[in-house]
Amino acid sequence: MSQDLEARLSALLDDAEITDLTRLSGGASRETWRFRADGIARIVQRQRAGDERDMMIEAAVLAAAGASGVPVPALLCADPGDPGTDGIASMIVEAVDGETIARKIQRDHEYAAARPMLAGQFGAALAAVHRIDVDAVPALDRPDQIAYYTEVLDTLDKPYPMLELVRRWLIDHVPPSEEPCVVHGDFRLGNMIIGPDGLRSVIDWELAHIGDPMEDLGWLCVKAWRFGQAPPVAGLGEYDDLFAAYEGAGGRSVDPDAVRWWEVLGTWKWAIMCILQANVHLSGAARSHELAAVGRRVCENEHDLLTLTESRT
């Protein structure tokens, strides 16, 4: 397979010499490789079989984000796949050095100087995300997340009263909607490349969609993405740091209560995702200690939801 991939990469990059092709860890929908093209480090992501999302839309969002001033890897090639070969869609981007593992970013001495800056850098980056020209990515959808995850809840084989209660709370407390914009959809540690100098790149745009800009701010503050640290912004900073930097970089005026609503929604949908992942293990479709452990986190999210909503009933 690696020889076929080397040949494909060479063809896509004007017959460049491909060396040092190495498989990296990747998510469920993407296969990631690092390589050198004529001696220059590059990354290729390939779409896994069964993933129905159009990778060319993701590539278009990445390009538009770069044009908007978001720190992203430069897009070098977007390939829908050659039906004459394996037909797998892919995109090639520049390689950006840095760390994506949250616990290292939060704890390692190498990133000590960066940590105080990150909440502000995240706010500035999100302001740029929300300035992306919507017309540059016309294929993005605008999901109704309450409706979607309600449907998912209804398919589960057991009741979850706390999640039903929070669904009702979300419906009763919907904040005024901001003018829709491009939303990253998964803006959190793990989807950013961090160096000793701070934020270097925002990656993994596959969940981008049209929505309320406060969604990205709320998702960043979901307790699960603090990885055991106390500060609310990714375990690294305070709400005020994030909001001030976002507004100062040209973002919309921030309503903290609206952000908190999106934080509740993010925690609620993450709880449902945890149930789904646990069910994959329990059904025997994929026996996995990791999936089982994620399932045990449902009760943590239910507790977080009680804390988040008890003072805003």
Side-chain angles (χ1 to χ4, degrees):
M1 174 182 175
S2 60
Q3 289 183 337
D4 291 341
L5 180 54
E6 285 179 2
R8 183 68 181 158
L9 294 172
S10 180
L12 291 170
L13 295 174
D14 299 324
D15 296 324
E17 180 185 9
I18 307 301
T19 58
D20 301 333
L21 182 64
T22 305
R23 179 81 174 266
L24 305 177
S25 60
S29 61
R30 297 289 183 267
E31 182 184 291
T32 304
W33 299 73
R34 187 182 179 100
F35 66 99
R36 289 187 176 276
D38 291 336
I40 302 173
R42 304 298 190 202
I43 296 290
V44 59
Q45 286 196 306
R46 310 177 80 224
Q47 195 154 5
R48 293 186 190 273
D51 180 30
E52 297 180 354
R53 287 169 291 198
D54 187 343
M55 200 172 194
M56 297 303 96
I57 296 176
E58 180 183 351
V61 175
L62 180 64
S68 182
V70 185
V72 294
L75 177 67
L76 305 174
C77 176
D79 176 31
D82 183 353
T85 56
D86 55 22
I88 297 174
S90 65
M91 62 180 182
I92 301 171
V93 300
E94 68 172 340
V96 178
D97 292 329
E99 185 57 75
T100 60
I101 298 174
R103 291 188 180 276
K104 291 187 176 183
I105 296 165
Q106 291 174 329
R107 293 168 171 82
D108 285 6
H109 176 72
E110 182 179 358
Y111 307 103
R115 284 192 282 271
M117 301 186 294
L118 287 173
Q121 290 178 339
F122 295 160
L126 281 175
V129 170
H130 300 154
R131 289 195 300 269
I132 293 174
D133 182 3
V134 174
D135 293 335
V137 280
L140 289 179
D141 61 0
R142 186 179 183 183
D144 181 334
Q145 298 196 50
I146 293 179
Y148 174 79
Y149 284 100
T150 294
E151 184 176 346
V152 172
L153 264 179
D154 289 344
T155 66
L156 300 175
D157 60 358
K158 60 182 291 188
Y160 289 89
M162 184 60 207
L163 300 184
E164 294 288 357
L165 178 66
V166 172
R167 183 184 75 87
R168 186 71 260 169
W169 185 95
L170 287 165
I171 292 170
D172 290 344
H173 293 82
V174 176
S177 181
E178 294 276 351
E179 181 181 351
C181 65
V182 174
V183 171
H184 181 277
D186 200 12
F187 194 91
R188 59 179 176 84
L189 289 182
N191 291 333
M192 307 174 199
I193 299 175
I194 308 297
D197 52 341
L199 177 63
R200 290 181 174 175
S201 191
V202 180
I203 58 176
D204 291 350
W205 292 79
E206 61 200 77
L207 297 182
H209 57 273
I210 302 300
D212 189 310
M214 299 300 106
E215 177 185 345
D216 276 334
L217 279 75
W219 184 246
L220 177 62
C221 297
V222 165
K223 192 173 181 180
W225 313 137
R226 303 174 196 173
F227 298 95
Q229 300 295 89
V233 181
L236 294 164
E238 302 300 325
Y239 289 113
D240 287 347
D241 300 329
L242 175 68
F243 299 164
Y246 179 78
E247 292 181 350
R252 317 281 179 88
S253 178
V254 175
D255 177 354
D257 286 336
V259 174
R260 180 60 62 91
W261 186 90
W262 282 104
E263 189 178 334
V264 172
L265 186 141
T267 306
W268 177 72
K269 75 178 185 180
W270 173 235
I272 297 170
M273 292 176 191
C274 289
I275 296 169
L276 295 176
Q277 292 188 44
N279 284 349
V280 173
H281 167 76
L282 293 170
S283 70
R287 303 294 287 181
S288 162
H289 288 294
E290 181 180 0
L291 293 174
V294 168
R296 290 178 63 86
R297 301 193 66 181
V298 176
C299 59
E300 295 177 8
N301 286 288
E302 289 177 327
H303 177 270
D304 294 340
L305 287 166
L306 277 172
T307 302
L308 282 165
T309 58
E310 64 181 354
S311 63
R312 290 174 168 76
T313 56

mmCIF file of all heavy atoms in Angstrom, residues 257-288:
data_model
loop_
_atom_site.group_PDB
_atom_site.id
_atom_site.type_symbol
_atom_site.label_atom_id
_atom_site.label_comp_id
_atom_site.label_asym_id
_atom_site.label_seq_id
_atom_site.Cartn_x
_atom_site.Cartn_y
_atom_site.Cartn_z
ATOM 1 N N ASP A 257 -24.081 34.376 29.011
ATOM 2 C CA ASP A 257 -25.168 33.414 29.202
ATOM 3 C C ASP A 257 -25.399 32.579 27.948
ATOM 4 O O ASP A 257 -25.738 31.387 28.037
ATOM 5 C CB ASP A 257 -26.456 34.135 29.585
ATOM 6 C CG ASP A 257 -26.447 34.634 31.024
ATOM 7 O OD1 ASP A 257 -25.689 34.059 31.835
ATOM 8 O OD2 ASP A 257 -27.190 35.575 31.337
ATOM 9 N N ALA A 258 -25.218 33.189 26.780
ATOM 10 C CA ALA A 258 -25.347 32.422 25.537
ATOM 11 C C ALA A 258 -24.229 31.392 25.418
ATOM 12 O O ALA A 258 -24.451 30.241 25.007
ATOM 13 C CB ALA A 258 -25.340 33.368 24.331
ATOM 14 N N VAL A 259 -23.014 31.791 25.779
ATOM 15 C CA VAL A 259 -21.896 30.843 25.754
ATOM 16 C C VAL A 259 -22.172 29.689 26.720
ATOM 17 O O VAL A 259 -21.929 28.524 26.411
ATOM 18 C CB VAL A 259 -20.567 31.543 26.097
ATOM 19 C CG1 VAL A 259 -19.438 30.527 26.208
ATOM 20 C CG2 VAL A 259 -20.228 32.590 25.045
ATOM 21 N N ARG A 260 -22.703 30.024 27.916
ATOM 22 C CA ARG A 260 -23.011 28.979 28.888
ATOM 23 C C ARG A 260 -24.077 28.019 28.338
ATOM 24 O O ARG A 260 -24.010 26.805 28.564
ATOM 25 C CB ARG A 260 -23.472 29.611 30.200
ATOM 26 C CG ARG A 260 -23.835 28.599 31.297
ATOM 27 C CD ARG A 260 -22.648 27.713 31.671
ATOM 28 N NE ARG A 260 -21.548 28.471 32.206
ATOM 29 C CZ ARG A 260 -21.376 28.735 33.506
ATOM 30 N NH1 ARG A 260 -22.239 28.318 34.393
ATOM 31 N NH2 ARG A 260 -20.316 29.415 33.903
ATOM 32 N N TRP A 261 -25.079 28.547 27.617
ATOM 33 C CA TRP A 261 -26.086 27.665 27.004
ATOM 34 C C TRP A 261 -25.410 26.687 26.049
ATOM 35 O O TRP A 261 -25.721 25.483 26.062
ATOM 36 C CB TRP A 261 -27.124 28.506 26.262
ATOM 37 C CG TRP A 261 -28.274 27.708 25.720
ATOM 38 C CD1 TRP A 261 -29.452 27.414 26.351
ATOM 39 C CD2 TRP A 261 -28.358 27.101 24.413
ATOM 40 N NE1 TRP A 261 -30.264 26.664 25.526
ATOM 41 C CE2 TRP A 261 -29.613 26.457 24.337
ATOM 42 C CE3 TRP A 261 -27.507 27.044 23.317
ATOM 43 C CZ2 TRP A 261 -30.037 25.765 23.195
ATOM 44 C CZ3 TRP A 261 -27.910 26.349 22.186
ATOM 45 C CH2 TRP A 261 -29.161 25.722 22.127
ATOM 46 N N TRP A 262 -24.485 27.176 25.245
ATOM 47 C CA TRP A 262 -23.779 26.296 24.311
ATOM 48 C C TRP A 262 -22.859 25.326 25.055
ATOM 49 O O TRP A 262 -22.638 24.194 24.595
ATOM 50 C CB TRP A 262 -22.991 27.116 23.291
ATOM 51 C CG TRP A 262 -23.865 27.669 22.209
ATOM 52 C CD1 TRP A 262 -24.309 28.954 22.060
ATOM 53 C CD2 TRP A 262 -24.432 26.925 21.121
ATOM 54 N NE1 TRP A 262 -25.107 29.061 20.951
ATOM 55 C CE2 TRP A 262 -25.200 27.836 20.349
ATOM 56 C CE3 TRP A 262 -24.363 25.603 20.709
ATOM 57 C CZ2 TRP A 262 -25.896 27.447 19.204
ATOM 58 C CZ3 TRP A 262 -25.055 25.208 19.570
ATOM 59 C CH2 TRP A 262 -25.809 26.124 18.830
ATOM 60 N N GLU A 263 -22.349 25.750 26.209
ATOM 61 C CA GLU A 263 -21.555 24.834 27.036
ATOM 62 C C GLU A 263 -22.443 23.700 27.555
ATOM 63 O O GLU A 263 -22.028 22.536 27.592
ATOM 64 C CB GLU A 263 -20.930 25.615 28.188
ATOM 65 C CG GLU A 263 -19.919 24.831 29.001
ATOM 66 C CD GLU A 263 -19.292 25.676 30.107
ATOM 67 O OE1 GLU A 263 -19.244 26.914 29.973
ATOM 68 O OE2 GLU A 263 -18.859 25.064 31.111
ATOM 69 N N VAL A 264 -23.671 24.045 27.959
ATOM 70 C CA VAL A 264 -24.617 23.014 28.384
ATOM 71 C C VAL A 264 -24.933 22.078 27.224
ATOM 72 O O VAL A 264 -24.900 20.848 27.367
ATOM 73 C CB VAL A 264 -25.911 23.652 28.931
ATOM 74 C CG1 VAL A 264 -26.971 22.570 29.194
ATOM 75 C CG2 VAL A 264 -25.635 24.427 30.210
ATOM 76 N N LEU A 265 -25.236 22.650 26.059
ATOM 77 C CA LEU A 265 -25.551 21.800 24.906
ATOM 78 C C LEU A 265 -24.363 20.903 24.551
ATOM 79 O O LEU A 265 -24.543 19.714 24.245
ATOM 80 C CB LEU A 265 -25.948 22.654 23.702
ATOM 81 C CG LEU A 265 -26.431 21.832 22.492
ATOM 82 C CD1 LEU A 265 -27.602 22.515 21.801
ATOM 83 C CD2 LEU A 265 -25.318 21.581 21.474
ATOM 84 N N GLY A 266 -23.154 21.460 24.610
ATOM 85 C CA GLY A 266 -21.983 20.657 24.298
ATOM 86 C C GLY A 266 -21.802 19.505 25.267
ATOM 87 O O GLY A 266 -21.452 18.383 24.873
ATOM 88 N N THR A 267 -22.019 19.764 26.554
ATOM 89 C CA THR A 267 -21.901 18.710 27.562
ATOM 90 C C THR A 267 -22.975 17.655 27.358
ATOM 91 O O THR A 267 -22.722 16.443 27.479
ATOM 92 C CB THR A 267 -22.011 19.321 28.972
ATOM 93 O OG1 THR A 267 -21.044 20.372 29.110
ATOM 94 C CG2 THR A 267 -21.779 18.279 30.046
ATOM 95 N N TRP A 268 -24.183 18.092 27.044
ATOM 96 C CA TRP A 268 -25.314 17.188 26.784
ATOM 97 C C TRP A 268 -25.023 16.285 25.590
ATOM 98 O O TRP A 268 -25.166 15.063 25.663
ATOM 99 C CB TRP A 268 -26.564 18.034 26.550
ATOM 100 C CG TRP A 268 -27.820 17.310 26.209
ATOM 101 C CD1 TRP A 268 -28.588 16.542 27.041
ATOM 102 C CD2 TRP A 268 -28.501 17.331 24.944
ATOM 103 N NE1 TRP A 268 -29.697 16.070 26.370
ATOM 104 C CE2 TRP A 268 -29.667 16.553 25.083
ATOM 105 C CE3 TRP A 268 -28.236 17.945 23.717
ATOM 106 C CZ2 TRP A 268 -30.569 16.360 24.033
ATOM 107 C CZ3 TRP A 268 -29.134 17.763 22.673
ATOM 108 C CH2 TRP A 268 -30.288 16.969 22.832
ATOM 109 N N LYS A 269 -24.567 16.866 24.493
ATOM 110 C CA LYS A 269 -24.334 16.025 23.314
ATOM 111 C C LYS A 269 -23.108 15.133 23.503
ATOM 112 O O LYS A 269 -23.081 14.006 22.980
ATOM 113 C CB LYS A 269 -24.236 16.871 22.040
ATOM 114 C CG LYS A 269 -22.966 17.653 21.825
ATOM 115 C CD LYS A 269 -23.025 18.390 20.480
ATOM 116 C CE LYS A 269 -21.726 19.088 20.155
ATOM 117 N NZ LYS A 269 -21.772 19.810 18.862
ATOM 118 N N TRP A 270 -22.111 15.584 24.277
ATOM 119 C CA TRP A 270 -20.962 14.719 24.555
ATOM 120 C C TRP A 270 -21.402 13.521 25.397
ATOM 121 O O TRP A 270 -20.937 12.398 25.187
ATOM 122 C CB TRP A 270 -19.855 15.505 25.232
ATOM 123 C CG TRP A 270 -18.701 14.661 25.697
ATOM 124 C CD1 TRP A 270 -18.197 14.592 26.951
ATOM 125 C CD2 TRP A 270 -17.895 13.769 24.906
ATOM 126 N NE1 TRP A 270 -17.137 13.718 27.009
ATOM 127 C CE2 TRP A 270 -16.933 13.187 25.769
ATOM 128 C CE3 TRP A 270 -17.904 13.402 23.571
ATOM 129 C CZ2 TRP A 270 -15.986 12.266 25.331
ATOM 130 C CZ3 TRP A 270 -16.957 12.469 23.123
ATOM 131 C CH2 TRP A 270 -16.019 11.915 24.002
ATOM 132 N N ALA A 271 -22.322 13.729 26.341
ATOM 133 C CA ALA A 271 -22.854 12.605 27.115
ATOM 134 C C ALA A 271 -23.515 11.575 26.199
ATOM 135 O O ALA A 271 -23.325 10.360 26.367
ATOM 136 C CB ALA A 271 -23.855 13.110 28.153
ATOM 137 N N ILE A 272 -24.258 12.059 25.223
ATOM 138 C CA ILE A 272 -24.918 11.143 24.283
ATOM 139 C C ILE A 272 -23.889 10.425 23.419
ATOM 140 O O ILE A 272 -24.002 9.217 23.159
ATOM 141 C CB ILE A 272 -25.938 11.926 23.426
ATOM 142 C CG1 ILE A 272 -27.044 12.500 24.323
ATOM 143 C CG2 ILE A 272 -26.535 11.028 22.341
ATOM 144 C CD1 ILE A 272 -27.960 13.485 23.619
ATOM 145 N N MET A 273 -22.845 11.145 22.995
ATOM 146 C CA MET A 273 -21.772 10.508 22.234
ATOM 147 C C MET A 273 -21.092 9.415 23.057
ATOM 148 O O MET A 273 -20.728 8.362 22.531
ATOM 149 C CB MET A 273 -20.739 11.558 21.817
ATOM 150 C CG MET A 273 -21.219 12.564 20.803
ATOM 151 S SD MET A 273 -19.914 13.811 20.513
ATOM 152 C CE MET A 273 -20.823 15.044 19.580
ATOM 153 N N CYS A 274 -20.914 9.665 24.358
ATOM 154 C CA CYS A 274 -20.301 8.656 25.222
ATOM 155 C C CYS A 274 -21.161 7.392 25.266
ATOM 156 O O CYS A 274 -20.631 6.262 25.254
ATOM 157 C CB CYS A 274 -20.110 9.214 26.627
ATOM 158 S SG CYS A 274 -18.821 10.478 26.785
ATOM 159 N N ILE A 275 -22.472 7.566 25.339
ATOM 160 C CA ILE A 275 -23.369 6.409 25.332
ATOM 161 C C ILE A 275 -23.214 5.626 24.037
ATOM 162 O O ILE A 275 -23.115 4.390 24.035
ATOM 163 C CB ILE A 275 -24.835 6.866 25.502
ATOM 164 C CG1 ILE A 275 -25.041 7.516 26.863
ATOM 165 C CG2 ILE A 275 -25.790 5.676 25.325
ATOM 166 C CD1 ILE A 275 -26.374 8.227 27.003
ATOM 167 N N LEU A 276 -23.178 6.349 22.925
ATOM 168 C CA LEU A 276 -23.056 5.678 21.626
ATOM 169 C C LEU A 276 -21.744 4.907 21.526
ATOM 170 O O LEU A 276 -21.711 3.774 21.019
ATOM 171 C CB LEU A 276 -23.153 6.711 20.502
ATOM 172 C CG LEU A 276 -24.485 7.444 20.362
ATOM 173 C CD1 LEU A 276 -24.400 8.498 19.271
ATOM 174 C CD2 LEU A 276 -25.621 6.473 20.067
ATOM 175 N N GLN A 277 -20.650 5.510 22.003
ATOM 176 C CA GLN A 277 -19.360 4.819 21.941
ATOM 177 C C GLN A 277 -19.349 3.587 22.832
ATOM 178 O O GLN A 277 -18.813 2.539 22.462
ATOM 179 C CB GLN A 277 -18.232 5.788 22.314
ATOM 180 C CG GLN A 277 -18.029 6.881 21.276
ATOM 181 C CD GLN A 277 -16.793 7.723 21.534
ATOM 182 O OE1 GLN A 277 -15.734 7.192 21.845
ATOM 183 N NE2 GLN A 277 -16.922 9.031 21.395
ATOM 184 N N ALA A 278 -19.955 3.702 24.021
ATOM 185 C CA ALA A 278 -20.036 2.541 24.900
ATOM 186 C C ALA A 278 -20.861 1.430 24.260
ATOM 187 O O ALA A 278 -20.528 0.241 24.395
ATOM 188 C CB ALA A 278 -20.651 2.950 26.236
ATOM 189 N N ASN A 279 -21.924 1.791 23.560
ATOM 190 C CA ASN A 279 -22.770 0.788 22.922
ATOM 191 C C ASN A 279 -22.031 0.007 21.841
ATOM 192 O O ASN A 279 -22.331 -1.160 21.593
ATOM 193 C CB ASN A 279 -24.022 1.441 22.331
ATOM 194 C CG ASN A 279 -25.044 1.800 23.395
ATOM 195 O OD1 ASN A 279 -24.918 1.387 24.551
ATOM 196 N ND2 ASN A 279 -26.044 2.583 23.027
ATOM 197 N N VAL A 280 -21.066 0.665 21.194
ATOM 198 C CA VAL A 280 -20.256 -0.053 20.206
ATOM 199 C C VAL A 280 -19.505 -1.192 20.892
ATOM 200 O O VAL A 280 -19.415 -2.312 20.380
ATOM 201 C CB VAL A 280 -19.268 0.914 19.510
ATOM 202 C CG1 VAL A 280 -18.308 0.142 18.612
ATOM 203 C CG2 VAL A 280 -20.028 1.955 18.695
ATOM 204 N N HIS A 281 -18.983 -0.908 22.090
ATOM 205 C CA HIS A 281 -18.288 -1.952 22.860
ATOM 206 C C HIS A 281 -19.270 -3.003 23.375
ATOM 207 O O HIS A 281 -19.058 -4.206 23.216
ATOM 208 C CB HIS A 281 -17.543 -1.316 24.038
ATOM 209 C CG HIS A 281 -17.060 -2.288 25.060
ATOM 210 N ND1 HIS A 281 -15.961 -3.089 24.868
ATOM 211 C CD2 HIS A 281 -17.572 -2.614 26.295
ATOM 212 C CE1 HIS A 281 -15.793 -3.864 25.935
ATOM 213 N NE2 HIS A 281 -16.750 -3.585 26.806
ATOM 214 N N LEU A 282 -20.359 -2.563 23.983
ATOM 215 C CA LEU A 282 -21.297 -3.486 24.616
ATOM 216 C C LEU A 282 -21.985 -4.392 23.603
ATOM 217 O O LEU A 282 -22.326 -5.540 23.916
ATOM 218 C CB LEU A 282 -22.347 -2.697 25.404
ATOM 219 C CG LEU A 282 -21.811 -1.944 26.634
ATOM 220 C CD1 LEU A 282 -22.878 -1.014 27.191
ATOM 221 C CD2 LEU A 282 -21.347 -2.924 27.698
ATOM 222 N N SER A 283 -22.168 -3.887 22.390
ATOM 223 C CA SER A 283 -22.810 -4.700 21.349
ATOM 224 C C SER A 283 -21.878 -5.765 20.787
ATOM 225 O O SER A 283 -22.324 -6.681 20.101
ATOM 226 C CB SER A 283 -23.283 -3.799 20.209
ATOM 227 O OG SER A 283 -22.166 -3.276 19.486
ATOM 228 N N GLY A 284 -20.590 -5.623 21.063
ATOM 229 C CA GLY A 284 -19.616 -6.549 20.506
ATOM 230 C C GLY A 284 -19.105 -6.152 19.133
ATOM 231 O O GLY A 284 -18.257 -6.835 18.563
ATOM 232 N N ALA A 285 -19.595 -5.021 18.610
ATOM 233 C CA ALA A 285 -19.148 -4.589 17.280
ATOM 234 C C ALA A 285 -17.664 -4.268 17.280
ATOM 235 O O ALA A 285 -16.955 -4.509 16.298
ATOM 236 C CB ALA A 285 -19.954 -3.372 16.821
ATOM 237 N N ALA A 286 -17.169 -3.717 18.401
ATOM 238 C CA ALA A 286 -15.740 -3.429 18.548
ATOM 239 C C ALA A 286 -15.426 -3.451 20.028
ATOM 240 O O ALA A 286 -15.685 -2.473 20.732
ATOM 241 C CB ALA A 286 -15.388 -2.080 17.929
ATOM 242 N N ARG A 287 -14.907 -4.560 20.514
ATOM 243 C CA ARG A 287 -14.576 -4.679 21.919
ATOM 244 C C ARG A 287 -13.361 -3.812 22.219
ATOM 245 O O ARG A 287 -12.310 -3.966 21.602
ATOM 246 C CB ARG A 287 -14.293 -6.137 22.282
ATOM 247 C CG ARG A 287 -15.433 -7.072 21.951
ATOM 248 C CD ARG A 287 -16.663 -6.802 22.797
ATOM 249 N NE ARG A 287 -16.504 -7.240 24.181
ATOM 250 C CZ ARG A 287 -17.451 -7.129 25.118
ATOM 251 N NH1 ARG A 287 -18.601 -6.553 24.811
ATOM 252 N NH2 ARG A 287 -17.231 -7.570 26.324
ATOM 253 N N SER A 288 -13.510 -2.868 23.149
ATOM 254 C CA SER A 288 -12.459 -1.877 23.362
ATOM 255 C C SER A 288 -12.499 -1.349 24.785
ATOM 256 O O SER A 288 -13.549 -0.889 25.256
ATOM 257 C CB SER A 288 -12.641 -0.717 22.374
ATOM 258 O OG SER A 288 -11.932 0.430 22.769
#
